[in-house]
Amino acid sequence: MAASIMSARQALRLTSRVRYFSSTAARQAAEVKRLGVIGAGQMGLGIALVAAQKAQVPVTLVDSSQASLDKGLAFAEKLLAKDVSKQRISQEQADAARALLQPTTSIDDLSPVDFVIEAVPEIPELKFDIFSKLAQICPKHAILATNTSSIPITRIAAATARANPTDTSNSSRVVSTHFMNPVPVQKGVEIISGLQTSPETLDTAIEFCKRLGKIPSVSADSPGFLANRILMPYINEAIICLETGVGDRDSIDAIMKNGTNVPMGPLQLADFIGLDTCLAIMKVLHTDTGDSKYRPSVLLRNMVDAGWLGKKSGKGFYDY
């Protein structure tokens, strides 16, 4: 009887805690008044644009290259114009969203943000350096999120203590918000917490992504997380089938499109993701798991060495 009462009390405390976190998360997500996005490439620009349209918050868009900022903003205007032409939004709404995008080449301009999302290339040291700086620049309440598709969140969170190894408080505010590409179209977003991530940070990230109109899925901090743990071996195996002559390019893509009802085949999808990105993720999966099933295709390596990276370079499995 006593054991039953104790179990009931423990359950009540747990339920109260979950409710507290849920309530706190919703409030904190609503209090995100300014977002920071680092990286004006396809992913970063997409995240910034969705935040401006859906959450209607000012977005400080940071990139070290002014040319990248100019290119990204031009692309944003193109997307907004397309939405206006298709009557998805009004011209006034498009103008309001564009006005909320505030470009800068200085990471120091992120000092007033409540939430920041890093979306730079999958280069570990680059991300570690950024998060070390964010820990010093951003307010102590700000959530520091990464859009990484493969690098362990625990390692990224640990980088926030680089400037001051004795202060580990910043690492509790680090989480991953891994958006799917293209961000304005895809509803999915993967939320991953590191070993140091607090429950409040995780819950607030989930709630904020819902505010952006996304449908979150939660993953453990494991190599490849959920999306790439499943997707990349599928793409890699399709490349191996091409490499070994099991099928030609068009047959491989056609059977998956027409047989599984996906919008594009694995080789075309690889081109859109970027073959260098696919290779980087496969290398992480292979190294971190030690499992030979994640060994990158020889053809994939060779195409990256040749500079045939897919759509962004004009040539991959297809010509663009």
Side-chain angles (χ1 to χ4, degrees):
M1 182 69 173
S4 298
I5 293 173
M6 185 62 69
S7 298
R9 287 175 177 170
Q10 289 173 338
L12 181 61
R13 281 199 298 269
L14 178 60
T15 302
S16 299
R17 185 177 182 226
V18 169
R19 285 175 181 167
Y20 168 76
F21 283 144
S22 178
S23 173
T24 301
R27 175 179 56 78
Q28 290 177 335
E31 289 176 354
V32 174
K33 304 299 184 185
R34 180 175 290 273
L35 177 69
V37 175
I38 304 176
Q42 187 175 18
M43 292 301 295
L45 190 280
I47 294 166
L49 185 57
V50 166
Q53 286 189 280
K54 299 292 185 180
Q56 299 177 348
V57 295
V59 182
T60 302
L61 181 61
V62 182
D63 199 291
S64 59
S65 165
Q66 184 62 49
S68 293
L69 285 170
D70 293 341
K71 182 179 179 182
L73 291 172
F75 184 56
E77 290 170 358
K78 181 179 178 181
L79 292 177
L80 289 169
K82 182 178 179 180
D83 282 346
V84 171
S85 69
K86 291 183 176 293
Q87 298 184 331
R88 294 170 181 158
I89 59 174
S90 67
Q91 185 61 55
E92 290 74 17
Q93 289 173 318
D95 293 341
R98 173 61 185 86
L100 290 171
L101 300 178
Q102 302 167 1
T104 178
T105 56
S106 175
I107 194 172
D108 291 334
D109 289 337
L110 294 175
S111 58
V113 302
D114 305 302
F115 201 114
V116 59
I117 302 173
E118 163 274 311
V120 304
E122 291 291 279
I123 303 171
E125 282 303 322
L126 175 60
K127 292 183 186 286
F128 299 158
D129 181 59
I130 287 172
F131 275 81
S132 177
K133 290 176 180 176
L134 291 177
Q136 302 171 65
I137 294 168
C138 296
K140 287 298 181 182
H141 71 273
I143 288 181
L144 313 178
T146 174
N147 187 56
T148 183
S149 57
S150 60
I151 301 169
I153 312 309
T154 298
R155 290 180 63 196
I156 293 175
T160 60
R162 279 187 172 185
N164 184 1
T166 61
D167 181 10
T168 58
S169 61
N170 292 314
S171 61
S172 68
R173 299 185 287 129
V174 177
V175 68
S176 174
T177 52
H178 177 212
F179 292 82
M180 301 296 108
N181 190 25
V183 181
V185 176
Q186 301 288 8
K187 290 289 187 182
V189 59
E190 207 170 23
I191 312 292
I192 307 105
S193 58
L195 188 63
Q196 311 95 316
T197 307
S198 71
E200 295 94 335
T201 295
L202 176 62
D203 287 354
T204 302
I206 291 171
E207 290 298 323
F208 184 65
C209 286
K210 289 179 181 178
R211 189 177 163 193
L212 300 184
K214 302 303 179 184
I215 302 173
S217 296
V218 178
S219 169
D221 189 13
S222 180
F225 315 131
L226 282 176
N228 285 321
R229 188 73 168 262
I230 298 167
L231 176 63
M232 286 303 157
Y234 158 72
I235 288 176
N236 193 58
E237 190 63 30
I239 299 171
I240 291 172
C241 285
L242 178 65
E243 176 188 326
T244 56
V246 176
D248 61 27
R249 180 197 69 184
D250 293 343
S251 293
I252 291 168
D253 276 357
I255 191 59
M256 297 313 296
K257 285 175 63 178
N258 300 317
T260 63
N261 201 32
V262 292
M264 63 178 72
L267 301 178
Q268 185 184 10
L269 178 58
D271 275 356
F272 272 74
I273 292 170
L275 301 190
D276 53 339
T277 300
C278 293
L279 178 60
I281 296 170
M282 286 304 299
K283 284 180 175 178
V284 169
L285 286 169
H286 190 213
T287 300
D288 289 359
T289 65
D291 193 327
S292 62
K293 74 180 180 182
Y294 298 117
R295 184 175 61 247
S297 159
V298 173
L299 178 58
L300 175 60
R301 290 180 183 272
N302 287 343
M303 292 184 71
V304 172
D305 287 343
W308 298 351
L309 309 181
K311 191 172 186 292
K312 62 185 173 184
S313 70
K315 182 175 179 60
F317 294 106
Y318 294 80
D319 293 326
Y320 300 90

